[in-house]
Amino acid sequence: MQIQWKKAFALIFSGQIFSILTSSMVQFAVIWHLTESTGSAAVLMIAGLAAFLPQAVLGPFVGVWLDRWNRKITMIIADSAIALFSLILGIYFMWGEPGLGFVYVILSLRSAASAFHAPAFQAAVPLIAPEEELTRVAGWQQMVFSFSNVMGPALGIAVYSATSLGAVLLLDVAGALIANLMLFMVKIHQPKVQSTAAPSFVQEFRLGWNALIQAKPIVLITGATAVFSIAFMPLATLFPYMTLSHFGRGGYSASLVEAVFSIGMILGGLLLSMFSSKWSDISYMSVGLLVIGLTCVISGLIGPNAFVIFAILSFLMGSAAPFFNGPFMAMIQRSFEPEMLGRVISLVTSIMMLSSPIGLLLAGPVVDRYGVQLWFLGSGIVVMLTALFIFIQFRRLASALPMN
């Protein structure tokens, strides 16, 4: 049994390395193209909204379908759809320069497909791995994601500079094909829907919502995470802008920051997988948020000649991220039955995703008027306060949650 589930994840993650790598290349190349061609933080925020909002809007309803559908097939179809939209945008860039509106539409369509892929994968994890190994698997997932993202920005800017954005987008199609091929080779047992389950869509949605709100600790942490998302998520779009506007550096420096952030995530994921049983999930999350917040605050205070310090801070920030993301998802996976998990994960994800557009809408005008450093400083303060809130609640939450 031990060998079987580990072999399954080896196949899945082998494919995901290619898919995440090429998606990372696309994400960075598109953001850098918009940064370089427009120089507007508002344009970047709109692009961020296009990439986040469809997932947030569809998320609450996707879970009902995920708990009905075959999760493996859902992942394959969703990844194929993302690749198709990359292909369309890639061909367009081969012919010429598409308008911003068309780019926003494609980003929105990719986001809509992602609304099905990510929750389907997370809901499938407990169907493969033993319950006591879920935090370890979350660490592996963070490592795979980070390893792909180390090379993604560097390769993305290299291909973009040598050829065009269209070529980068076409590589995303190849990555999706490899990921789907590996996924075809894995057997995932679909959970049986209980015979007492409500037949209508609305009733099934209510069942998922009621299951979520009855888990009070998960609700509390989800609320805190929503606040964290408002402050922190815009930084994913603003990192290249920080490199360009504050430090006055080009694309390769921006890709270096992305790379060291991802290297930090690899280290953090490795440490999490090695020491997953040493602390409670809440403890890992609190410490992770505290480090993230502190590095953001320092980033908001350093001068334009301190690019090396910013790169080091980005590494530390990346190292802390898996200690928040991995345990939070493992906590959710432990707290709900597999036949309900798709709905719950989609609802939680949507709450966080709906928070992100709020942050993006706020960040655009603030950064354009007051500079990107102010957002780094302010977001760091908010994140540290969130960490403090979770730490204060530690004893009560630890006694109510399934422990790793």
Side-chain angles (χ1 to χ4, degrees):
M1 180 65 182
Q2 284 274 49
I3 297 177
Q4 259 187 342
W5 73 264
K6 289 182 179 179
K7 181 180 178 181
F9 278 111
L11 287 171
I12 292 173
F13 287 146
S14 295
Q16 289 299 309
I17 286 176
F18 292 97
S19 180
I20 298 172
L21 174 63
T22 52
S23 292
S24 176
M25 292 171 64
V26 166
Q27 180 179 347
F28 184 80
V30 169
I31 290 176
W32 183 252
H33 177 78
L34 294 176
T35 302
E36 193 176 45
S37 59
T38 68
S40 170
V43 169
L44 296 180
M45 294 305 102
I46 295 173
L49 282 172
F52 278 117
L53 199 56
Q55 284 182 262
V57 172
L58 287 173
F61 312 104
V62 163
V64 176
W65 293 315
L66 291 181
D67 288 333
R68 291 177 176 180
W69 297 343
N70 184 290
R71 290 169 185 174
K72 173 180 170 179
I73 300 301
T74 301
M75 284 187 280
I76 292 173
I77 293 175
D79 213 6
S80 300
I82 294 171
L84 175 61
F85 299 132
S86 293
L87 177 63
I88 293 171
L89 186 58
I91 292 174
Y92 206 137
F93 268 106
M94 292 290 190
W95 286 345
E97 183 76 18
L100 286 175
F102 186 80
V103 175
Y104 296 153
V105 169
I106 293 296
L107 291 175
S108 298
L109 292 173
R110 283 170 54 90
S111 175
S114 297
F116 290 87
H117 185 275
F121 176 76
Q122 296 293 358
V125 168
L127 304 177
I128 306 172
E131 181 178 329
E132 64 273 12
E133 300 288 353
L134 290 177
T135 302
R136 189 181 307 278
V137 172
W140 292 346
Q141 185 181 356
Q142 291 291 316
M143 287 174 61
V144 170
F145 179 82
S146 306
F147 177 79
S148 301
N149 281 337
V150 168
M151 297 303 298
L155 290 175
I157 198 68
V159 175
Y160 172 73
S161 300
T163 56
S164 66
L165 182 56
V168 181
L169 286 157
L170 294 181
L171 287 175
D172 195 30
V173 180
L177 291 175
I178 295 173
N180 285 343
L181 177 63
M182 294 296 188
L183 194 55
F184 264 120
M185 301 169 64
V186 176
K187 186 175 183 180
I188 302 176
H189 296 283
Q190 182 71 7
K192 294 182 180 180
V193 179
Q194 296 178 350
S195 58
T196 56
S200 76
F201 182 94
V202 174
Q203 287 175 313
E204 289 187 52
F205 175 82
R206 286 176 179 170
L207 284 175
W209 176 257
N210 289 335
L212 173 61
I213 62 176
Q214 287 172 11
K216 300 300 182 184
I218 298 293
V219 172
L220 184 61
I221 297 172
T222 301
T225 305
V227 175
F228 162 74
S229 298
I230 292 174
F232 185 75
M233 290 306 291
L235 296 184
T237 306
L238 290 173
F239 264 94
Y241 190 77
M242 177 80 157
T243 303
L244 178 67
S245 66
H246 183 65
F247 296 108
R249 291 175 173 256
Y252 285 103
S253 294
S255 66
L256 173 64
V257 171
E258 301 283 342
V260 297
F261 184 95
S262 297
I263 291 171
M265 288 188 69
I266 292 176
L267 177 61
L270 177 62
L271 293 174
L272 180 63
S273 65
M274 291 173 59
F275 304 107
S276 58
S277 60
K278 300 297 182 182
W279 288 357
S280 69
D281 289 333
I282 296 293
S283 299
Y284 282 125
M285 290 172 62
S286 300
V287 173
L289 285 177
L290 183 62
V291 174
I292 290 172
L294 184 60
T295 53
C296 285
V297 167
I298 298 173
S299 296
L301 295 174
I302 58 178
N305 296 321
F307 177 76
V308 173
I309 295 176
F310 180 62
I312 294 172
L313 291 169
S314 299
F315 170 79
L316 296 174
M317 195 185 304
S319 301
F323 289 93
F324 174 75
N325 297 327
F328 182 45
M329 185 53 62
M331 186 187 303
I332 295 171
Q333 290 166 339
R334 287 191 190 94
S335 300
F336 301 94
E337 295 298 322
E339 60 270 14
M340 190 69 66
L341 196 54
R343 277 165 279 184
V344 172
I345 289 177
S346 295
L347 285 167
V348 172
T349 303
S350 294
I351 292 170
M352 291 187 292
M353 295 297 290
L354 282 169
S355 303
S356 300
I358 297 174
L360 289 167
L361 286 171
L362 293 172
V366 170
V367 171
D368 274 339
R369 183 167 183 178
Y370 300 106
V372 66
Q373 274 197 295
L374 182 64
W375 192 266
F376 270 85
L377 177 62
S379 66
I381 294 172
V382 171
V383 172
M384 286 196 294
L385 290 175
T386 305
L388 181 62
F389 171 78
I390 292 178
F391 180 77
I392 290 173
Q393 299 294 328
F394 172 77
R395 291 184 182 276
R396 185 169 65 86
L397 293 173
S399 63
L401 284 168
M403 302 300 292
N404 51 340

